[in-house]
Amino acid sequence: MATQQTDCRHFLSLLDLSLDEARALIARATELKRMRAAGQDFKPLAGRTLAMIFEKSSTRTRVSFEAGMVQLGGHALFLSPRDTQLGRGEPIEDSARVISRMVDAVMIRTFEQKTVEVFAAHSRVPVINGLTDRCHPCQMLADLQTFHEHRGDIQGKRVVWIGDGNNMCHSFMEAAQLFDFELRVACPEGFDPDADLLAACGDRCTILRDPREAAEGAHLIATDVWASMGQEEEQERRQAAFASYQVTDAIMDQASSDVLFMHCLPAHRGEEVAASVIDGPRSVVWDEAENRLHAQKALLEFLIPH
Ligand code: CP
Ligand code: NVA
């Protein structure tokens, strides 16, 4: 049997979209948000099912995809390795062939990027990356929507990432390429983002070691936890390495007067971010979280034939 079963679109990284498609999705997300606020029913995905495979914990991703599918008239199915054959070693390829014959799209949160790629290669329906160790494209769509709603076009702006060169950092690097903004990454040595991705960003992305210097003139400052899911045993070592990388008011004060603060959540106040920053007037973290719902509804509408 052929490996690639259909030519359906997948969303495994932000760069699976063209700039025009990404811009259209963000605009559509804001429109769907307005329609929901106006109490307007919109159910283009009636009778459609989204399977959601979670190999890591989640609050926002699970709730936003499940609520989003229901709001679009469809249904979402939560699958965990604990109580499916996925956890007992059934090959990803076989799981993809079987699940994709029964549902209309699949969302996967897992460890390796390769897993979502293999699943997509054997799936008849669109596959969405709900977070891997490599990137978090759904969160990036919501973050881009949030920036756009507060400040307009992100092109040409200065975005500063402070902390770990992790999956969220990688998604910001992909967004910098697609939307053409300047990205400064302030991280301690040994925690740099992926070198190939850095090279692909060209002069749009630079690595700095001093977070205060990096923050100068920033229009957006973003951070994330110091130890991601799967790195729990490194927590102590990381806490020491990142001690001078907390986003504080002093760092925010280096930035542009209209700077925004973002964090994909969940956050650890007093570690990667001071409570006064995340709970302060420059923070848009609750809008970011809410926009997961609207951005992913736009994505589901775009990917699932109806
Ligand atoms: N930001 C995010 O993806 O949150 P969850 O881990 O709760 O899904
Ligand atoms: N970098 C974090 C993001 C969680 C949404 C993690 O991978 O755990």
Side-chain angles (χ1 to χ4, degrees), residues 35 40-48 69-74 306:
M35 285 160 62
Q40 212 171 313
D41 262 358
F42 178 63
K43 302 197 181 304
L45 300 185
R48 307 297 200 285
M69 273 307 283
V70 171
Q71 289 166 24
L72 292 170
H306 55 276

Side-chain angles (χ1 to χ4, degrees), residues 6-12 49-51 100 103-108 116 119-120 123-129 299-300 302-305:
T6 68
D7 56 3
C8 66
R9 293 286 298 267
H10 303 292
F11 185 61
L12 307 184
T49 301
L50 172 73
S100 73
V103 303
D104 301 283
V106 180
M107 187 242 79
I108 309 175
V116 292
F119 199 106
S123 172
R124 289 184 168 187
V125 299
V127 175
I128 298 170
N129 179 351
L299 180 68
L300 291 164
F302 172 73
L303 288 176
I304 300 177

Side-chain angles (χ1 to χ4, degrees), residues 131 136 166-167 224-225 228-229 264-265:
L131 180 140
H136 197 359
N166 66 7
N167 43 12
D224 188 10
V225 291
S228 286
M229 288 181 276
C264 63
L265 306 176

Side-chain angles (χ1 to χ4, degrees), residues 11-279:
F11 185 61
L12 307 184
S13 110
L14 189 70
L15 297 178
D16 286 338
L17 299 175
S18 68
L19 176 60
D20 284 350
E21 286 170 339
R23 283 192 190 281
L25 273 186
I26 291 165
R28 183 63 177 156
T30 297
E31 173 66 3
L32 291 172
K33 184 177 187 174
R34 191 199 57 73
M35 285 160 62
R36 178 166 154 75
Q40 212 171 313
D41 262 358
F42 178 63
K43 302 197 181 304
L45 300 185
R48 307 297 200 285
T49 301
L50 172 73
M52 307 187 299
I53 300 171
F54 282 96
E55 299 195 326
K56 291 174 176 170
S57 303
S58 169
T59 297
R60 279 144 288 270
T61 305
R62 180 178 178 181
V63 174
S64 55
F65 269 111
E66 191 159 338
M69 273 307 283
V70 171
Q71 289 166 24
L72 292 170
H75 177 77
L77 198 58
F78 175 81
L79 301 170
S80 110
R82 240 197 309 270
D83 35 44
T84 60
Q85 302 292 2
L86 281 160
R88 298 181 59 251
E90 183 166 12
I92 298 292
E93 294 87 338
D94 294 358
S95 303
R97 290 179 179 116
V98 171
I99 295 170
S100 73
R101 284 179 180 227
M102 299 178 186
V103 303
D104 301 283
V106 180
M107 187 242 79
I108 309 175
R109 167 168 287 197
T110 186
F111 295 87
E112 290 181 30
Q113 184 73 6
K114 187 99 179 91
T115 304
V116 292
E117 289 171 0
V118 169
F119 199 106
H122 296 83
S123 172
R124 289 184 168 187
V125 299
V127 175
I128 298 170
N129 179 351
L131 180 140
T132 58
D133 294 344
R134 169 80 181 180
C135 58
H136 197 359
C138 291
Q139 182 71 51
M140 202 60 239
L141 274 184
D143 290 1
L144 289 163
Q145 180 192 348
T146 306
F147 189 89
H148 195 265
E149 288 177 352
H150 283 269
R151 296 286 184 263
D153 204 340
I154 198 165
Q155 187 186 8
K157 300 282 197 231
R158 178 174 294 171
V159 177
V160 177
W161 176 265
I162 298 179
D164 192 15
N166 66 7
N167 43 12
M168 271 312 304
C169 179
H170 290 159
S171 283
F172 269 102
M173 292 167 78
E174 293 182 339
Q177 289 178 61
L178 195 60
F179 283 80
D180 193 20
F181 57 78
E182 179 193 353
L183 179 66
R184 293 177 163 189
V185 175
C187 59
E189 271 186 77
F191 298 92
D192 288 2
D194 179 79
D196 292 341
L197 194 45
L198 186 62
C201 288
D203 58 9
R204 284 193 198 90
C205 182
T206 47
I207 307 268
L208 290 92
R209 301 297 173 208
D210 178 356
R212 280 181 81 111
E213 181 197 342
E216 278 169 21
H219 301 102
L220 169 62
I221 293 181
T223 190
D224 188 10
V225 291
W226 291 337
S228 286
M229 288 181 276
Q231 299 173 331
E232 288 78 5
E233 75 292 347
E234 296 177 29
Q235 178 72 34
E236 244 173 74
R237 179 173 79 87
R238 285 172 167 269
Q239 239 162 286
F242 287 99
S244 59
Y245 286 80
Q246 182 181 112
V247 180
T248 57
D249 278 305
I251 285 183
M252 295 296 291
D253 290 343
Q254 299 296 307
S256 164
S257 57
D258 65 349
V259 67
L260 297 176
F261 172 76
M262 288 194 188
H263 190 311
C264 63
L265 306 176
H268 297 110
R269 289 170 176 77
E271 288 185 28
E272 73 273 8
V273 61
S276 57
V277 171
I278 194 169
D279 298 321

